[in-house]
Amino acid sequence: MAKIGINIATGSLQQEEMIVGIDLGTTNSLVAIIHPGSKNAVVLKEHNSSSLVPSVIHFEDRGSVIVGDAAKDFLITAPQQTIFSAKRLMGKSYNDIKDHAAFFSYRIIDDNTDSLVKVQVGDKFYSPIELSSFILKELKQRAEHILKTPVNKAVITVPAYFNDAQRQATRDAGKLAGIDVLRIINEPTAASLAYGIGLDKNESKLIAVYDLGGGTFDISILRIAGGVFEVLSTNGDTYLGGDDLDNAVVQYWIEQSGLTHQDLAANRQLAQALRLKAEEAKKQLSSKELFEGELNGDKLSLSKQKFEELIRAFVDKTITCCKNALKDAGLKTSDIETVVMVGGSTRVPLVKNSVSEFFGRPVNDSVNPDEVVALGAAIQADILAGNNKELLLLDITPLSLGIETAGGLMDVLIPRNAKIPSKAARQYTTQVDGQPGMRISVFQGERDLVKDNRKLAAFNLTGIPGMPAGLPKVEVGFLINADGILTVSAKELRSGVEQSIEVKPQYGLTDEMVESMLMDSITHAKDDMKARALGEARTEGEQLLKTTERFLQKNAAELEKDELINTANAMQALQLALTMEDKDLIHAKIEALNEVSRPYAERLMDNAIAGAMKGKTI
Ligand code: ADP
Ligand code: MG
């Protein structure tokens, strides 16, 4: 949302930065914003033109790049220089897509490896990230032209099934296009938001989002509670969409006209014209009973009834996916309270009716299905801009959360990228006899040593009743609630003594900070491992010294003189090793002390068991 202010120093008008929502689609992409006046989400478009920008990129011979409708025309005339469906390649290797190689009419480098794919155009190579960045650049330029203000920040949507690599690739594409990607959100989450679902924090709901686009189909089952969108399951077919419906119509017309595939292969222009007519027929049949047109003087017609017959198998396939998604989520159709329709192809009445029939309820289709995802992204952008403070949508933890343990080590309880809400607990114990309290220090970050991570909070668990070291059982629990707020609790289980503290882990961390912390953890991984190993060795050595001391205090009388002397020497050597930065030396001295004490420890143990068994018959 834009707020206009006046710069006191210069007296000029200042506009606060606009954060836009972007649906980066396989077939079409578009941008939406929250209208500064009406506060409603609206898609951006020039007068009398569509908001949809076809996700097609054409590379001209002289080096310039065309994106959108103008590029689409080159799909036929210059297929090798015209890229479509780049989204399907995001985060993929050649091996991932080789089964569908025929689908792509441009050159994908077949290196037969698991490294990320590249597309060859002329003598240049492009990664899918670069290709997507061309689309994003075009969207950014259009938005700036319409809004007459710079657009540098965005929320971009991705399919719910996108993995970490694909999400990261999308983020990088944004960066390449000069866009600061504030958040990547799931398309079904965005679609729900556009319907106002999930905006009420007290609402809890199970919903299904059915998305049939140009070339892909996916169904997502979500649980929405307390402003958190949890994906329970996803299913679909990444090679099923509106294009298949067009093709079915083309096939039918070919049969009707007596044309052959050879005719069409020889005349690509005709094939493409036929395809465009088929799409036109399909769209018209979404609101009419009969399509009548012509091509090169020949009449072409199609009834709605015939069309439905042609596409029924495809629609049935999507319903099977819905069944599987429900099964994976462990739900029945009757559990689903709302069904949201997304994607241009859900305008087809047979699709709408079949989905409605399957779920046994009317579907939500009042928001334009081409625009619904972008509109939801704009709503999320507005929330991030701080204009809707009551709502904080967080779906995953960006960094690991844990506590400090002996030796300054980070013990992770909730790993990064955990879904929220999230819960974890682990037991710890004391190191000293009669230790009355324990300090719980909470950290965030990926490094092994807490000193390299970010401290979030610390508190003391006090009032632990006197017990020998190692006996208290202190359970530390982490709970991140739907608001992204972390509560850390500590409870000594034997006595019931308890303490807790609330921490806001997200607060004050920008995306750049998160990124640099992640980079640090990668560059320092080796150092960290060394430091951790040394820390662990020291802790182990200290523990062993303490237990040995305690043992001697109790049992010195039972030991031989040379046993006592050897033990004292071994302890001293270990003590000295602990002051040095050499984990191998520490381990050697630990082993030496164990060597010395093992014989008498076993002897005393046997005696104790014999004593305990006295008078008992087995
Ligand atoms: P994507 O999410 O894959 O980018 P879209 O949601 O934009 O795709 O959907 C594009 C598909 O929707 C195309 O196959 C197009 O033909 C189809 N479509 C658009 N309008 C209609 C309509 N009125 N009736 C049927 N299909 C339509
Ligand atoms: Mg889409």
Side-chain angles (χ1 to χ4, degrees):
M1 209 212 65
K3 276 187 210 122
I4 298 175
I6 296 173
N7 183 326
I8 313 263
T10 63
S12 63
L13 283 182
Q14 252 187 345
Q15 214 161 2
E16 208 174 86
E17 264 199 300
M18 176 89 60
I19 308 180
V20 301
I22 297 179
D23 173 1
L24 182 59
T26 309
T27 315
N28 296 303
S29 300
L30 67 159
V31 184
I33 60 156
I34 299 296
H35 191 277
S38 72
K39 307 271 185 275
N40 289 325
V42 291
V43 296
L44 293 182
K45 57 177 161 190
E46 310 252 20
H47 288 296
N48 299 324
S49 71
S50 165
S51 59
L52 302 183
V53 177
S55 305
V56 182
I57 309 143
H58 173 65
F59 295 91
E60 288 188 302
D61 288 333
R62 49 192 176 84
S64 55
V65 181
I66 307 173
V67 173
D69 271 312
K72 229 175 144 176
D73 299 337
F74 293 99
L75 281 171
I76 295 307
T77 53
Q80 300 269 329
Q81 280 147 276
T82 311
I83 315 299
F84 61 95
S85 282
K87 184 174 178 178
R88 293 177 193 278
L89 304 176
M90 290 291 260
K92 295 278 169 93
S93 68
Y94 186 79
N95 283 344
D96 288 332
I97 53 127
K98 66 168 174 239
D99 291 347
H100 294 280
F103 172 87
F104 302 95
S105 44
Y106 45 88
R107 267 199 79 181
I108 297 178
I109 303 304
D110 173 7
D111 59 357
N112 227 320
T113 70
D114 288 324
S115 55
L116 298 180
V117 293
K118 287 256 183 202
V119 169
Q120 184 174 6
V121 181
D123 54 3
K124 293 216 175 70
F125 297 89
Y126 298 96
S127 69
I129 295 174
E130 288 169 283
L131 295 171
S132 294
S133 84
F134 288 122
I135 298 169
L136 290 170
K137 255 184 229 157
E138 173 74 20
L139 295 174
K140 174 176 146 86
Q141 269 168 19
R142 283 188 193 212
E144 289 176 338
H145 184 73
I146 295 166
L147 296 170
K148 300 189 172 41
T149 171
V151 171
N152 298 314
K153 295 184 172 167
V155 168
I156 302 182
T157 58
V158 295
Y161 60 78
F162 256 31
N163 63 25
D164 221 47
Q166 294 172 299
R167 284 165 200 264
Q168 196 54 50
T170 305
R171 224 176 228 288
D172 292 345
K175 217 181 281 174
L176 261 186
I179 298 171
D180 180 8
V181 182
L182 298 186
R183 191 71 64 88
I184 295 284
I185 67 167
N186 289 333
E187 287 161 11
T189 299
S192 320
L193 282 174
Y195 275 98
I197 302 165
L199 288 172
D200 176 358
K201 281 226 145 160
N202 302 316
E203 182 184 42
S204 160
K205 235 178 181 182
L206 288 168
I207 74 163
V209 180
Y210 179 103
D211 184 346
L212 189 60
T216 59
F217 165 65
D218 50 272
I219 170 83
S220 310
I221 309 292
L222 310 187
R223 174 184 285 126
I224 300 172
V228 175
F229 292 72
E230 185 186 358
V231 179
L232 299 180
S233 68
T234 66
N235 209 296
D237 186 333
T238 47
Y239 288 86
L240 172 62
D243 296 344
D244 296 296
L245 312 189
D246 303 344
N247 287 337
V249 174
V250 170
Q251 289 304 321
Y252 170 69
W253 280 343
I254 290 177
E255 282 161 28
Q256 292 293 300
S257 67
L259 275 170
T260 65
H261 287 277
Q262 279 79 3
D263 296 336
L264 289 175
N267 189 344
R268 281 218 307 256
Q269 229 76 19
L270 175 66
Q272 174 65 354
L274 204 54
R275 240 189 49 79
L276 290 176
K277 271 286 169 225
E279 185 175 7
E280 189 187 329
K282 171 186 77 174
K283 288 184 179 175
Q284 283 196 20
L285 292 174
S286 288
S287 52
K288 286 192 352 192
E289 293 298 315
L290 182 67
F291 168 82
E292 282 180 304
E294 57 140 1
L295 187 64
N296 300 339
D298 293 326
K299 273 200 173 10
L300 284 173
S301 73
L302 184 66
S303 70
K304 184 171 161 188
Q305 197 190 344
K306 185 71 207 175
F307 174 62
E308 296 191 341
E309 204 180 288
L310 295 173
I311 65 166
R312 176 145 300 163
F314 294 112
V315 179
D316 288 347
K317 222 169 156 182
T318 69
I319 299 297
T320 306
C321 293
C322 294
K323 273 185 200 147
N324 292 334
L326 279 177
K327 204 170 109 202
D328 290 346
L331 297 172
K332 307 185 291 296
T333 48
S334 57
D335 294 325
I336 300 298
E337 293 155 273
T338 305
V339 182
V340 171
M341 300 299 264
V342 180
S345 302
T346 60
R347 289 213 186 78
V348 173
L350 180 70
V351 170
K352 223 180 273 191
N353 295 338
S354 305
V355 175
S356 169
E357 196 180 309
F358 173 72
F359 285 102
R361 63 177 61 249
V363 295
N364 284 31
D365 61 354
S366 56
V367 180
N368 183 332
D370 305 320
E371 300 178 346
V372 65
V373 168
L375 293 171
I379 294 171
Q380 169 74 75
D382 193 46
I383 294 167
L384 289 177
N387 295 324
N388 193 341
K389 290 232 164 51
E390 308 85 76
L391 205 75
L392 178 70
L393 293 175
L394 274 180
D395 29 25
I396 51 167
T397 57
L399 293 166
S400 302
L401 295 165
I403 66 164
E404 175 176 0
T405 55
L409 297 181
M410 172 88 174
D411 199 29
V412 172
L413 274 95
I414 297 185
R416 88 187 191 88
N417 285 341
K419 250 192 261 167
I420 74 157
S422 206
K423 222 165 93 173
R426 194 168 289 171
Q427 287 186 11
Y428 300 90
T429 189
T430 52
Q431 290 194 54
V432 182
D433 286 340
Q435 186 177 322
M438 203 167 181
R439 182 143 184 92
I440 312 290
S441 302
V442 184
F443 286 84
Q444 179 182 44
E446 310 311 313
R447 302 284 299 275
D448 278 349
L449 294 179
V450 292
K451 71 173 175 58
D452 299 320
N453 289 330
R454 184 183 149 95
K455 187 168 187 169
L456 295 175
F459 65 97
N460 287 318
L461 174 66
T462 53
I464 301 176
M467 277 184 258
L471 203 55
K473 279 190 181 167
V474 177
E475 184 172 276
V476 175
F478 274 36
L479 172 75
I480 308 182
N481 73 2
D483 300 328
I485 293 176
L486 169 69
T487 303
V488 179
S489 60
K491 182 176 185 174
E492 200 289 300
L493 298 176
R494 293 181 196 276
S495 59
V497 181
E498 197 171 356
Q499 226 11 270
S500 72
I501 189 168
E502 219 179 59
V503 200
K504 285 200 180 81
Q506 270 279 315
Y507 188 76
L509 266 195
T510 63
D511 271 10
E512 290 75 49
M513 287 161 80
V514 170
E515 211 166 286
S516 92
M517 286 168 92
L518 289 176
M519 285 311 292
D520 271 6
S521 77
I522 295 165
T523 34
H524 290 108
K526 263 213 180 103
D527 294 351
D528 274 6
M529 257 157 64
K530 253 172 103 177
R532 179 179 270 275
L534 181 63
E536 276 170 356
R538 282 197 176 134
T539 307
E540 193 185 334
E542 278 160 13
Q543 293 282 32
L544 181 63
L545 283 177
K546 265 181 217 145
T547 18
T548 316
E549 230 160 79
R550 224 176 311 134
F551 183 89
L552 290 179
Q553 271 166 20
K554 275 194 207 153
N555 306 302
E558 320 265 338
L559 267 55
E560 309 282 333
K561 196 168 168 200
D562 57 336
E563 283 176 337
L564 282 172
I565 293 170
N566 290 343
T567 306
N569 287 340
M571 284 174 77
Q572 208 168 17
L574 175 56
Q575 195 89 57
L576 188 67
L578 288 180
T579 65
M580 289 183 258
E581 312 266 313
D582 183 348
K583 74 158 173 40
D584 294 332
L585 182 68
I586 298 173
H587 281 302
K589 297 303 167 195
I590 288 173
E591 202 29 58
L593 177 54
N594 277 332
E595 242 359 87
V596 173
S597 57
R598 194 171 297 124
Y600 59 78
E602 279 170 8
R603 189 174 75 229
L604 265 88
M605 187 74 84
D606 288 347
N607 289 350
I609 292 171
M613 299 298 282
K614 212 177 276 171
K616 284 190 190 153
T617 47
I618 302 172

